[in-house]
Amino acid sequence: MVLHSTLVESYEKKEGKIRCPQRVENNEKRRRGMFVKYRENKNYKAAQQSRKQQQKQAREQREIAQNTDGAGAMNAAGSRIMAGNGID
């Protein structure tokens, strides 16, 4: 995986956008002969779960907005209620 890490780092530098500064730091330590092993961030899973929850809420809000936009909203019986023209 170290080879993969250095390839990704060189690609990111070439593109001019470093996406993971920790990778650059770890690879620099490896170049100096230090042993570096990735240790999973303990807060990563909590942050990932929070992000997924936020995405779910945003998706639900978009669906609600899409369902209430347009020519009219569906009523409980499933028929369209046309805004302003009295058609049910």
Side-chain angles (χ1 to χ4, degrees):
M1 292 310 280
V2 174
L3 176 62
H4 174 72
S5 181
T6 55
L7 289 173
V8 172
E9 179 188 0
S10 66
Y11 174 79
E12 288 178 348
K13 284 182 177 180
K14 179 180 153 189
E15 293 295 310
K17 184 174 182 182
I18 302 296
R19 291 179 176 85
C20 180
Q22 185 66 49
R23 178 187 303 117
V24 176
E25 184 179 322
N26 289 347
N27 286 337
E28 181 58 36
K29 289 177 182 178
R30 290 179 183 120
R31 283 189 278 276
R32 288 185 274 144
M34 296 176 68
F35 176 77
V36 179
K37 182 176 180 180
Y38 172 76
R39 290 187 178 91
E40 186 172 351
N41 183 348
K42 294 179 182 177
N43 294 326
Y44 175 78
K45 288 185 180 181
Q48 189 177 26
Q49 288 175 343
S50 173
R51 189 170 35 253
K52 284 183 180 183
Q53 182 64 27
Q54 289 172 349
Q55 290 172 342
K56 181 180 177 184
Q57 289 174 346
R59 187 172 40 253
E60 289 170 352
Q61 289 174 351
R62 281 193 305 270
E63 289 173 359
I64 290 169
Q66 288 174 352
N67 291 337
T68 58
D69 286 348
M74 294 290 241
N75 67 12
S79 63
R80 286 248 175 220
I81 300 171
M82 302 303 285
N85 63 6
I87 299 174
D88 187 26

